[in-house]
Amino acid sequence: MLPYFPPGYPDELLYSLLARFHRHVGETSPKRTLDVLFGNRSVRAGVLLQGHLQALSERLPPHRELTPGRLLADFTLYPYLTAFQPADVRLAVRDALFLGHAEWVTVRLGLAASRVQGATGLRYCPACRSDMLNLYGELYWRRDHQLPGVAVCPDHGVRLQDSTVCPGTIGQHSFIAADEDNCPKVSSDVQDDVSIPWMVVKRCARLLRSPPAPMSLREWGAHYHNELRQRGFGKGDDRIDQRRLSADFASWSGEPEMGGTENWLAAMARKHRKAFHPLEHVLLGLFLDAHAPVAENAPFGLGPWPCRNPLSEHYGQPVVQLAGTHQEEGKLIGQFSCSCGYVFSLAAVPGSKPRILDLGPLFRQRLRQLVAEGAGLRATARALGVDPGTIRRHAERLGLDAPWAPLKSRPHVPRSPRAACPQPPPPDPVPRRDWPGLDGQLCGALRAESERIKTLSPPIRASATVLQRQFGRRDWLASRLSKLPMTACALAEEAESVEQFRLRRIVWAAEELRRRNLPLKPWRLRRLAGLPEQASSQVEAALEAYEGL
Ligand SMILES: [Zn+2]
Ligand SMILES: [Zn+2]
């Protein structure tokens, strides 16, 4: 029984705890430490997983209650690495780690052959490094800094650094503790391009603490199949539109399209024949979260829909109701009407363009007014947001005394009793693209996205690039801003500069320090907010304001 064993730090790796033990007791021989800890000199030191936990647990001070199960769940990556494995695999892996080697386990979990590359060295976060030295006076290896495939700190959103400790190269029979030499000091400035990896690492870190209930491969396959179909990725009766999934995933992740159907994403959308890496589950899970399910019985999406009438005060606001549906040439057509009198129809087909059925009383009233004021044809068309042909037709229909030439090549309609009957007005021509309508929608979506991003903790910079990410290709919106004045204005107002972001991070850091019961000192705020040694005068002034609080 060991008389001393160091207390574990928050989210410390078992490898780190054992390494600190080795250092604290002043032992020089790694083999002797293995003997003391495991009663066995040939045990291998594992970073992600550790074997022989039963033997270790029996030697630890009993009052610490470090059972093999607790060591496994709280100090290794077992909960994350087995999060998406069936119950029988979880049990087999657990038993193997209690009694024997961890190497067999990485093969059993498919990690040895995985496309997701593990880190070569142990990693650390430059910002956590400072916190650790301040709080504990020593460094330690954190579990959630060693997650394969994601090198971002879940707390600080900064890129992790590779330490000089590579367990593969130093021999696998020694535990090396983190220290100020193998984790050298580097500056950690705010970085803009880690919003997706940060989201990913936070989800992975959550799996370490609370993994989902076990499901079989078949159940995971069915789960993703259903979730994708609910989000409109279905094709035919029971298939998945792989091409659209691939394109949408690429635009969401900002990574190039994987192409073909022989990639992990396409395989995850089919029946699962093998287990996937937890990182792949996390990526697909986040992608699904970013896409709201389209209700089966709502072929036009969920209403109310934004008003498309540029003359109305509530233009762009979600006030339009579905007035009815009918079939036309095998397509489902919905008729939408707004309280301002604007009526349009839309086919339940992706990318379908709206067809205006009635421009509404506001249009007619304004047209009368402009004609009475003697406005020209093109000026009138511009003011009312329609083409000149539409103006001509409506002016004629309303019997207005317009100064411009009447419509040409109109067929002569002989007066007959039938012609005297009131006929429904002919529909307006379909506009090439309803820019004002789109402008209203995009403007609302952009402001909502900005609001959402600005509530995230730890904060992410709501840069113009991040705000535009939801609209697909990076330059899609930028090249069309001249046609979307409201959206351009919203983008200019909502996009955050580096300085604005730093100021917001200071406020967040202050709240965070209060939450952790740490004194509010400018140097502490600077470190937690990831600010450089010398920021702009405005940022420095904001930091100074906390001095003496
Ligand atoms: Zn950190
Ligand atoms: Zn309206």
Side-chain angles (χ1 to χ4, degrees), residues 506 520-522 525 538-549:
I506 293 175
L520 281 178
K521 291 282 170 213
L525 285 167
Q538 209 186 340
V539 171
E540 291 298 325
L543 277 176
E544 286 311 313
Y546 284 93
E547 185 75 85
L549 271 186

Side-chain angles (χ1 to χ4, degrees), residues 266-335:
M268 277 190 100
R270 292 193 291 261
K271 238 181 222 136
H272 288 201
R273 293 196 170 79
K274 61 170 189 71
F276 290 88
H277 195 283
L279 184 60
E280 292 164 346
H281 281 272
V282 165
L283 284 169
L284 183 52
L286 287 168
F287 172 76
L288 290 171
D289 288 354
H291 294 74
V294 182
E296 294 265 332
N297 55 359
F300 300 99
L302 298 174
W305 294 263
C307 173
R308 291 167 174 266
N309 184 358
L311 303 177
S312 159
E313 274 180 7
H314 58 230
Y315 173 57
Q317 289 172 29
V319 290
V320 174
Q321 298 294 335
L322 183 61
T325 57
H326 64 275
Q327 292 281 337
E328 212 175 278
E329 293 170 354
K331 287 184 206 146
L332 181 70
I333 309 288
Q335 186 167 322

Side-chain angles (χ1 to χ4, degrees), residues 125 128 153 156:
C125 160
C128 286
C153 173
H156 298 100

Side-chain angles (χ1 to χ4, degrees), residues 133-415:
L133 287 175
N134 289 328
L135 289 169
Y136 311 114
E138 66 176 333
L139 301 180
Y140 66 94
W141 304 116
R142 256 174 70 161
R143 265 199 313 179
D144 52 14
H145 288 169
Q146 321 305 332
L147 290 159
V150 263
V152 171
C153 173
D155 284 357
H156 298 100
V158 296
R159 292 239 179 253
L160 297 174
Q161 302 291 319
D162 284 326
S163 73
T164 56
V165 178
C166 300
T169 56
I170 53 168
Q172 296 187 332
H173 298 285
S174 54
F175 294 96
I176 312 285
D179 61 33
E180 293 182 59
D181 291 329
N182 58 34
C183 299
K185 185 172 161 53
V186 289
S187 74
S188 62
D189 197 3
V190 177
Q191 297 181 23
D192 286 330
D193 56 343
V194 294
S195 54
I196 293 241
W198 197 0
M199 214 154 67
V200 171
V201 81
K202 279 195 280 192
R203 179 71 63 96
C204 293
R206 209 167 76 198
L207 289 173
L208 276 174
R209 273 145 225 140
S210 48
M215 295 212 293
S216 67
L217 294 186
R218 194 181 51 76
E219 285 168 328
W220 277 116
H223 166 76
Y224 289 126
H225 184 88
N226 290 342
E227 295 286 315
L228 285 167
R229 283 189 67 91
Q230 275 175 23
R231 282 159 179 79
F233 291 99
K235 186 170 149 186
D237 280 350
D238 197 38
R239 288 169 51 212
I240 296 293
D241 187 344
Q242 294 279 12
R243 191 172 295 179
R244 209 154 72 74
L245 173 62
S246 168
D248 280 25
F249 186 86
S251 114
W252 169 78
S253 67
E255 298 286 328
E257 237 186 279
M258 286 177 264
T261 51
E262 296 310 310
N263 55 65
W264 67 266
L265 180 63
M268 277 190 100
R270 292 193 291 261
K271 238 181 222 136
H272 288 201
R273 293 196 170 79
K274 61 170 189 71
F276 290 88
H277 195 283
L279 184 60
E280 292 164 346
H281 281 272
V282 165
L283 284 169
L284 183 52
L286 287 168
F287 172 76
L288 290 171
D289 288 354
H291 294 74
V294 182
E296 294 265 332
N297 55 359
F300 300 99
L302 298 174
W305 294 263
C307 173
R308 291 167 174 266
N309 184 358
L311 303 177
S312 159
E313 274 180 7
H314 58 230
Y315 173 57
Q317 289 172 29
V319 290
V320 174
Q321 298 294 335
L322 183 61
T325 57
H326 64 275
Q327 292 281 337
E328 212 175 278
E329 293 170 354
K331 287 184 206 146
L332 181 70
I333 309 288
Q335 186 167 322
F336 298 83
S337 78
C338 186
S339 57
C340 64
Y342 193 91
V343 184
F344 65 94
S345 69
L346 195 62
V349 177
S352 143
K353 302 220 168 73
R355 193 172 137 173
I356 300 166
L357 301 180
D358 189 351
L359 285 159
L362 287 171
F363 173 85
R364 291 186 279 274
Q365 190 188 328
R366 193 87 185 92
L367 177 60
R368 277 202 183 90
Q369 206 179 342
L370 286 166
V371 169
E373 286 166 6
L377 174 63
R378 288 188 184 280
T380 306
R382 257 199 314 277
L384 298 180
V386 293
D387 61 292
T390 306
I391 294 291
R392 272 208 176 98
R393 207 166 43 252
H394 280 267
E396 216 170 276
R397 201 179 294 159
L398 292 171
L400 301 182
D401 184 17
W404 52 75
L407 281 174
K408 288 177 197 139
S409 68
R410 270 173 66 87
H412 174 70
V413 183
R415 261 195 90 76

